[in-house]
Amino acid sequence: MAKGRGGMGPMGGMGGGMNMNNLMKQAQKMQQQMAEAQATLAEKNLEVTSGGGAIKIIITGAKEIKEIKLKADVVDPDDVEMLEDLLLSAINEAFRQAEELSNKEMGKFTGGMGLPF
């Protein structure tokens, strides 16, 4: 009889099955923890301002803009470009901060491996 086929080696037999079950349980636990972290991120709000407070944006850690507030004096019909620039700046900064928060929280699971989440 040949050894190695169907034996108790690292890839066959009961030892391999037990390791696979443990890996699956660990993966499921990690997936659950990641889902909980994502839910927590969705509940966290970041406040970003632009133009010395003329524009305020509230965004969640899940990158959903919840609110945009404009002070009346920033709305100048003769200078729409300034308002556009301030909005663009504030929105980009809001997304940058939300991404940074998300990377910080989710990086606990990916360990800096560059994995998408």
Side-chain angles (χ1 to χ4, degrees):
M1 233 187 232
K3 291 185 177 183
R5 283 190 183 236
M8 298 300 232
M11 299 303 282
M14 293 183 66
M18 294 299 287
N19 287 338
M20 184 58 80
N21 285 338
N22 286 340
L23 286 174
M24 291 299 291
K25 286 179 184 178
Q26 289 175 353
Q28 288 173 342
K29 182 178 179 181
M30 184 177 184
Q31 186 177 20
Q32 180 182 357
Q33 290 172 333
M34 287 177 70
E36 289 169 2
Q38 287 173 333
T40 299
L41 281 171
E43 294 174 5
K44 288 186 178 181
N45 289 328
L46 300 166
E47 184 176 307
V48 178
T49 61
S50 180
I55 295 176
K56 177 178 84 171
I57 295 179
I58 296 179
I59 187 169
T60 69
K63 302 173 196 132
E64 179 184 351
I65 293 179
K66 300 298 264 183
E67 185 177 311
I68 297 177
K69 292 284 187 186
L70 306 174
K71 287 190 175 177
D73 59 345
V74 77
V75 183
D76 181 354
D78 295 327
D79 195 0
V80 174
E81 285 183 32
M82 179 190 69
L83 178 57
E84 292 170 341
D85 289 343
L86 290 173
L87 279 168
L88 186 61
S89 174
I91 291 168
N92 284 330
E93 179 61 16
F95 279 114
R96 188 198 65 74
Q97 287 186 25
E99 180 72 17
E100 186 177 295
L101 178 63
S102 178
N103 286 341
K104 179 182 172 189
E105 291 298 316
M106 299 308 288
K108 296 173 186 174
F109 302 103
T110 62
M113 294 184 289
L115 298 175
F117 43 83

